[in-house]
Amino acid sequence: MTGRSEERPAPGAPDFRFEEHDSVGSTNSLCFERAQRGHPGQLWIRADQQTEGRGRRGRDWSSPGGNLFTSLLLINPQPADRIGELPLAAAVALAEAVDKAAGTLQLVSLKWPNDLLVEGEKLSGILLEAETLSDGRQAVVIGFGVNCVTHPQLSLYQATDLRSLGFQVTAERLFECLSAAMADTLARWQLPGGFDSIRRDWLKRAAHLGKTITVRTAQEEITGIFADLDARGHLVVRLDDGRQRTLYAGDVFLPGR
């Protein structure tokens, strides 16, 4: 790990702390290290480059310089029984941040649960991880990777980056927009019933709402109409026979892709 700055107030969100590095293995892993050493949370860590980036289900995440790699550490986020809503809340905040940084109204759409798409191509990834610390506290880390200037060739999806789309957005500028948007979204989420408005914002950007999708889970593959999100952000699919299935995890594809 190579460092560049001491911890300081986060740009755009002075109630949060921030540290940045030239290169780290994984910003998520570094957040957990800080938590294990007793950090109180609300800490952002950003790196110019990651050498051990990872995505959902243990997939590698390409981390070349110029793109955004950052993670947010939360300790005992409340309400604790609704932590499963945070990936969708993070996706809404990141979509708002990308639009603001790029100077657009609604460039980004969302693919369940938390991928950002532009014209059907993947722009970012969000990875939420949690663990119980030795002192009994719960550490929740939300990692963000956004393709600002380059994008990888992915086996499951087509990818894109902001520069290829014609937008000159630096990782530093996007991080400032994200830290502000995430602070606002977390404050909203913590209110009683706060996820309801976040859910509505997510659905306004839903890429495949009302369309036939295929969802691959660890156990099976389900095809049906993307009908809705339930009150907790789970995917509701309407099957050919009219029944509805609620899915809690999986990869979403359009038929034939």
Side-chain angles (χ1 to χ4, degrees):
M1 178 181 70
T2 57
R4 193 165 64 230
S5 70
E6 298 296 326
E7 187 180 305
R8 63 186 190 275
D15 291 338
F16 289 69
R17 305 299 294 172
F18 169 61
E19 56 178 81
E20 60 183 339
H21 301 271
D22 296 326
S23 179
V24 302
S26 158
T27 55
N28 267 32
S29 296
L30 192 53
C31 278
F32 280 120
E33 288 182 21
R34 296 291 184 268
Q36 290 158 1
R37 294 177 184 175
H39 199 285
Q42 295 199 190
L43 172 69
W44 285 98
I45 294 179
R46 188 183 75 81
D48 291 341
Q49 188 173 18
Q50 292 185 124
T51 58
E52 301 170 7
R54 59 185 182 272
R56 291 176 61 233
R57 301 189 179 187
R59 299 178 184 126
D60 290 339
W61 181 266
S62 176
S63 306
N67 292 340
L68 176 64
F69 315 109
T70 188
S71 297
L72 173 62
L73 169 64
L74 302 172
I75 299 293
N76 293 332
Q78 297 297 321
D81 63 339
R82 288 174 35 213
I83 287 173
E85 300 165 356
L86 283 175
L88 284 83
V92 168
L94 182 57
E96 293 173 353
V98 169
D99 281 346
K100 182 174 181 179
T104 62
L105 290 177
Q106 192 164 318
L107 173 68
V108 173
S109 61
L110 297 175
K111 181 172 75 68
W112 186 82
N114 54 20
D115 282 344
L116 270 64
L117 304 180
V118 179
E119 298 176 358
E121 298 182 332
K122 185 170 178 174
L123 182 67
S124 72
I126 296 174
L127 175 64
L128 185 144
E129 298 179 298
E131 69 176 45
T132 300
L133 305 172
S134 59
D135 59 7
R137 298 181 304 155
Q138 184 177 41
V140 175
V141 176
I142 309 171
F144 300 82
V146 185
N147 301 329
C148 295
V149 297
T150 59
H151 65 270
Q153 297 300 313
L154 302 177
S155 58
L156 290 176
Y157 312 102
Q158 294 295 315
T160 191
D161 63 80
L162 290 171
R163 183 164 64 183
S164 296
L165 293 165
F167 301 99
Q168 301 302 315
V169 178
T170 65
E172 292 81 2
R173 171 57 180 160
L174 181 53
F175 173 74
E176 181 178 359
C177 294
L178 173 59
S179 62
M182 196 65 194
D184 290 343
T185 300
L186 281 172
R188 187 163 41 132
W189 174 74
Q190 290 165 346
L191 296 172
F195 182 67
D196 187 51
S197 66
I198 293 170
R199 172 184 167 276
R200 291 196 299 269
D201 286 347
W202 196 102
L203 285 168
K204 289 176 183 176
R205 295 179 180 267
H208 304 134
L209 187 63
K211 297 181 180 178
T212 299
I213 59 172
T214 295
V215 185
R216 296 175 189 166
T217 73
Q219 294 80 30
E220 59 182 331
E221 189 171 286
I222 303 104
T223 296
I225 303 295
F226 176 10
D228 202 356
L229 296 179
D230 73 6
R232 305 300 295 271
H234 304 131
L235 182 66
V236 180
V237 175
R238 186 170 65 252
L239 306 179
D240 288 343
D241 61 8
R243 291 182 301 123
Q244 291 191 340
R245 284 278 305 273
T246 300
L247 303 175
Y248 305 96
D251 291 310
V252 173
F253 300 88
L254 291 177
R257 297 190 63 175

